[in-house]
Amino acid sequence: MRMMLKVSIPVESGNAAIQDGSLPNTIQKILDDLKPEAAYFAEENGERTGYIFFDMQESSQLPAIAEPWFLAFNAKLTVRPAMTPHDLADAGPAIERAVKAHGKAHSRAAAV
């Protein structure tokens, strides 16, 4: 399943890794092990933040994905399923079924 991993590196540990020169190499090693589909880096809420898209076959893989970030940077992580436009299109019939099964009930409740 395609997953999105958001990695937020606290300023203090990110600064320490920048100053000792380890940040770029450590991130590259973690990414080499993970083999993501894509990885993007930006600032969010004043922290160095990565958005990493990868494939996870089993939930038991999560510790191997998360621990390097925790250990190297004391990072905060968010992991959630992600869809491509094709995945979303494939979900269309399930969305339609949900609307038919639950959409009217929601409309009635909102009208009351």
Side-chain angles (χ1 to χ4, degrees):
M1 175 180 294
R2 179 177 290 103
M3 304 293 285
M4 182 186 81
L5 170 66
K6 182 174 93 170
V7 177
S8 298
I9 300 172
V11 173
E12 296 79 16
S13 58
N15 285 351
I18 286 284
Q19 290 171 349
D20 72 15
S22 66
L23 187 124
N25 291 335
T26 302
I27 288 176
Q28 190 59 57
K29 180 172 180 357
I30 294 169
L31 293 177
D32 287 347
D33 291 343
L34 184 56
K35 298 174 181 50
E37 176 182 316
Y40 301 95
F41 297 90
E43 172 281 332
E44 184 174 306
N45 298 319
E47 295 181 327
R48 294 169 180 93
T49 303
Y51 302 91
I52 301 161
F53 297 86
F54 66 98
D55 188 52
M56 187 166 74
Q57 297 298 315
E58 297 180 21
S59 59
S60 63
Q61 293 174 273
L62 190 55
I65 292 162
E67 290 300 331
W69 299 102
F70 291 146
L71 294 167
F73 302 113
N74 197 32
K76 292 177 268 180
L77 306 180
T78 304
V79 183
R80 58 180 47 130
M83 293 188 287
T84 64
H86 182 266
D87 297 331
L88 186 57
D90 287 348
I95 294 169
E96 290 175 18
R97 283 192 302 276
V99 168
K100 287 178 183 172
H102 304 285
K104 292 179 182 173
H106 175 70
S107 296
R108 284 191 299 261
V112 174

